[in-house]
Amino acid sequence: MERLLQNLFDLSISEIKKLDGYDNANYLLKAGDERYIFKTYPFDQELLEIIRAETAVLNKIQEGHSGEFPRPIPFENGEFVQVHSVKGSAQICRLLSFVDGQFLGDLNNQPEHARSLGTFLAKLDLALAPLNVTVFKARQWEWDLQYLQLNKKYLRAIEDPSKRSIVAYFMQQFDAEVLPISKDLRKQLIYNDTNEWNVLIKKDAVSGFIDFGDLAHSFLINEVAIAATYLSYDKKEPLPWIASFLAAYHQILPLEKQEVEILYYLIAGRLCTSICNAAHSRLSQPDNDYAGSSEEHAWSLLTKWLEIGPIKATNSFKKAIDMPISSVDGIEKKIERRNQHFSSILSLSYAQPIAMERAAFQYMYDAYGTSYLDAYNNIPHVGHSHPRVVEAGQRQMTRLNTNTRYQYDLLAEYSERLLTKFPKELNKIFLVNSGSAASDLALRLARSYSGFEQVLVMEHGYHGNTQLGIDHSHYKFNNSRGQGQKTHIIKTSLPDIFRGAYREQDAGLKYADDTIAQIKNTEKPIAAFISEPVVGCGGQVPLASGYLKPVYQAIRAQGGICISDEVQTGFGRLGDHFWGFEAQEVVPDIVVLGKPMGNGHPIGAVVCTDAIAQAFEKGVEFFSSFGGNPVSCAIGMAVLEVIEQERLQFNAASVGAYYKKLLLQLQSEHASIGDVRGSGLFLGIDMVQPGGTTADTVLAQKLKNELRERHILVSTDGPYDNVIKSKPPLCFNKHNALRVVETIDSVLKM
Ligand code: PMP
């Protein structure tokens, strides 16, 4: 090596030291008082052209920036890049001056560093702006953010499916938010790799950059996004760091509104690029750990990014550069507008209603830049805006959407897949568009099968908003403003071991005895018994253990059928069981499904036995315009796939157990928590007057609203509206659970 170098350059080299390198070799040379970096790269024609172009750029930006960037040192014949045989293989070779300073990555960062970086980078971008380099214009590669989608091929390399979904989410957001405006964005030559190991610091100010190997002709804002990413990805609170940097950059090179408005997505895009390439390298070069060095930080920021959300981040960026924040109507004005045409019979949650704008996984973002932890909504079962579900719907919408009067294979595929989740005797399915439509149809099926009219319903049960649904929902017909109990409805007491008549070990059997006595005492036979396995509107009350088995037997003995309403409890939410009825070791004749089934897309279903379906076939045709349409089937299928791939039932069990343990601990510290019940991610916290079971509605309402003020969403329910309900998306994690419990604790201590 020494001989080669002595021959090539007009230098008297005193020392050669090999340095770390990713896909090329670097050597530190000493010659007299000067230091140099000699770089060799395995020969590749395209790379040779890129290195020549990079060298030309480095030469052009030296003027006025002495010592800030590597300066190409010519070979003896005046060329800056040559190909030589090194250890028997052709290598592209070049020599650069050594740029002195401490790496930003080696320092305990100060806000001055962020400001100085902004100034330095903006000046560099001004120097790069006039350079028009064809090689870079033509280059399309994974590390140029405008081509983020090239990284999609590496998604598979991310082992954890839940993490893969987060990356896929941000890639999808990039398509939706960045690509449509990309033709309007400023483009120029950019440095494209402002990370902490390329930035040098002297006396607390940025003194130089090294490694111009990632130069790109790209959106100017990508430059800003990349620097913001690496500056903040290891920080506890990233936004203030980015703000300091942006303010300084903007002073030298003012940013445009449309650029700032996509910065959130570009920062996420860079994190995704880094994560994808690290995952890919791990697979393709298992011995090279260099590639993954920033992966942990990238995950740390990407997770925070979800929690922060685009609106809060964008507002913070705009504030940093004194750019006006987009004006949004106040909540009162928005509500006034809503109320002009929308009946007040549909309520808004919370004393201070929320103007929701966007949501991702377990987070929801309001119009004003507040991010909420969703500890309540069970409909976005696999997470708000889950990319797999969104993509399934989008793709099928571009192909075919029609109804069940035509044959399409998706219908059979989805039906088969969903039915694998049920005991084999439940082998027929009717697809509809809501839980209400499903329970309505279930009741019709029961009547047509049994030939009877009467229905036994559960106290505080809720099954839907159709007339049939209301008639069979004690929660509604029993309300002071409700329609009252119809003569063909029989209500049985909620087998509640906290506040009900029986609370001991064998309470379930005692409640069952009472229900059976009711069944036996009716004059006319009962067509069906309908109940949720955990009564949601009743205040998250699991039916006392052992209750359903004898009741189901008694109903069947007199010719009726048993319906389990799994609209809230189904699809793995309860953790230990995919369906709530499994916990009671029964198999219903009909199961009603809804809410989580489409992750927010309106689908519901009735699953029943062959015999029940056959009895119904004797009547008039059943048709639902939308039920079972191909788009809904594709979405339903995606939901099932995500539940399995991301092991969300297991997550519900493990996070739910942790969550419940924390809540039980809290109960031991606060006498106002009377009961903590439920399983998996379907929990209820019963607020009481200390020492008894008397409901404390005022406290529950206060707690709900105080949590909302602290950006956590829960709701209340139960006959006294005193039970805090928590039934979050199943991607909820332990850190989320801890946050909820600590916040409840702090509110109760107020
Ligand atoms: N059954 C149960 C147990 C429910 O909780 C609900 C909705 N809250 C329904 C049925 C009705 O579903 P939908 O609102 O989709 O019509």
Short mmCIF file of all heavy atoms in Angstrom, two decimals, residues 434-436 462-465 532 565 567-568 595, ligand 1:
data_model
loop_
_atom_site.label_atom_id
_atom_site.label_comp_id
_atom_site.label_asym_id
_atom_site.label_seq_id
_atom_site.Cartn_x
_atom_site.Cartn_y
_atom_site.Cartn_z
N SER A 434 -73.29 -3.83 9.85
CA SER A 434 -73.14 -3.27 11.19
C SER A 434 -73.51 -4.34 12.20
O SER A 434 -74.14 -5.36 11.85
CB SER A 434 -74.06 -2.06 11.38
OG SER A 434 -75.41 -2.47 11.33
N GLY A 435 -73.16 -4.06 13.44
CA GLY A 435 -73.57 -4.95 14.52
C GLY A 435 -75.08 -4.97 14.64
O GLY A 435 -75.69 -6.01 14.92
N SER A 436 -75.70 -3.81 14.42
CA SER A 436 -77.16 -3.71 14.52
C SER A 436 -77.83 -4.58 13.46
O SER A 436 -78.77 -5.32 13.76
CB SER A 436 -77.61 -2.26 14.31
OG SER A 436 -77.04 -1.44 15.27
N TYR A 462 -77.01 -4.51 25.22
CA TYR A 462 -77.25 -3.65 24.05
C TYR A 462 -76.91 -4.43 22.80
O TYR A 462 -75.86 -5.07 22.71
CB TYR A 462 -76.41 -2.37 24.10
CG TYR A 462 -76.62 -1.54 22.85
CD1 TYR A 462 -77.86 -0.95 22.57
CD2 TYR A 462 -75.60 -1.37 21.91
CE1 TYR A 462 -78.07 -0.22 21.40
CE2 TYR A 462 -75.80 -0.64 20.74
CZ TYR A 462 -77.04 -0.07 20.49
OH TYR A 462 -77.26 0.64 19.34
N HIS A 463 -77.82 -4.38 21.82
CA HIS A 463 -77.59 -5.17 20.61
C HIS A 463 -77.75 -4.39 19.31
O HIS A 463 -77.52 -4.95 18.25
CB HIS A 463 -78.51 -6.40 20.60
CG HIS A 463 -78.33 -7.22 21.84
ND1 HIS A 463 -77.18 -7.93 22.09
CD2 HIS A 463 -79.13 -7.40 22.93
CE1 HIS A 463 -77.28 -8.52 23.28
NE2 HIS A 463 -78.45 -8.20 23.81
N GLY A 464 -78.20 -3.14 19.37
CA GLY A 464 -78.23 -2.41 18.10
C GLY A 464 -79.31 -1.35 18.02
O GLY A 464 -80.19 -1.24 18.88
N ASN A 465 -79.21 -0.57 16.93
CA ASN A 465 -80.06 0.61 16.80
C ASN A 465 -81.30 0.42 15.92
O ASN A 465 -82.04 1.36 15.67
CB ASN A 465 -79.22 1.79 16.29
CG ASN A 465 -78.59 1.49 14.94
OD1 ASN A 465 -79.12 0.70 14.15
ND2 ASN A 465 -77.45 2.10 14.66
N GLU A 532 -74.46 -10.65 25.57
CA GLU A 532 -73.02 -10.50 25.36
C GLU A 532 -72.33 -11.32 26.44
O GLU A 532 -72.86 -11.42 27.55
CB GLU A 532 -72.60 -9.04 25.54
CG GLU A 532 -73.28 -8.06 24.62
CD GLU A 532 -73.40 -6.67 25.26
OE1 GLU A 532 -72.38 -5.99 25.33
OE2 GLU A 532 -74.49 -6.30 25.70
N ASP A 565 -73.69 -12.25 21.45
CA ASP A 565 -73.36 -11.00 20.77
C ASP A 565 -71.89 -10.70 21.07
O ASP A 565 -71.54 -10.28 22.18
CB ASP A 565 -74.28 -9.88 21.27
CG ASP A 565 -74.00 -8.55 20.57
OD1 ASP A 565 -72.89 -8.37 20.05
OD2 ASP A 565 -74.91 -7.69 20.54
N VAL A 567 -70.05 -8.56 19.34
CA VAL A 567 -69.69 -7.31 18.64
C VAL A 567 -68.53 -6.61 19.33
O VAL A 567 -67.62 -6.11 18.67
CB VAL A 567 -70.93 -6.40 18.52
CG1 VAL A 567 -70.54 -4.99 18.12
CG2 VAL A 567 -71.92 -6.98 17.51
N GLN A 568 -68.56 -6.59 20.67
CA GLN A 568 -67.47 -5.89 21.37
C GLN A 568 -66.35 -6.83 21.80
O GLN A 568 -65.20 -6.42 21.89
CB GLN A 568 -68.03 -5.21 22.63
CG GLN A 568 -69.02 -4.12 22.31
CD GLN A 568 -68.85 -2.90 23.22
OE1 GLN A 568 -67.79 -2.67 23.78
NE2 GLN A 568 -69.90 -2.12 23.32
N LYS A 595 -68.35 -4.32 14.96
CA LYS A 595 -67.26 -3.37 15.26
C LYS A 595 -65.85 -3.70 14.75
O LYS A 595 -65.43 -3.12 13.75
CB LYS A 595 -67.21 -3.13 16.76
CG LYS A 595 -68.36 -2.26 17.29
CD LYS A 595 -68.09 -1.88 18.72
CE LYS A 595 -69.30 -1.36 19.47
NZ LYS A 595 -69.71 -0.02 19.10
N1 PMP B 1 -74.02 -5.25 19.92
C1 PMP B 1 -73.20 -4.75 20.82
C2 PMP B 1 -72.77 -5.57 21.99
C3 PMP B 1 -72.72 -3.44 20.66
O1 PMP B 1 -71.87 -2.93 21.55
C4 PMP B 1 -73.12 -2.69 19.54
C5 PMP B 1 -72.60 -1.28 19.30
N2 PMP B 1 -72.24 -0.58 20.44
C6 PMP B 1 -74.01 -3.28 18.63
C7 PMP B 1 -74.43 -4.56 18.84
C8 PMP B 1 -74.49 -2.53 17.43
O2 PMP B 1 -73.48 -2.37 16.51
P1 PMP B 1 -73.50 -1.17 15.47
O3 PMP B 1 -73.33 0.10 16.23
O4 PMP B 1 -72.35 -1.50 14.56
O5 PMP B 1 -74.77 -1.22 14.73
#
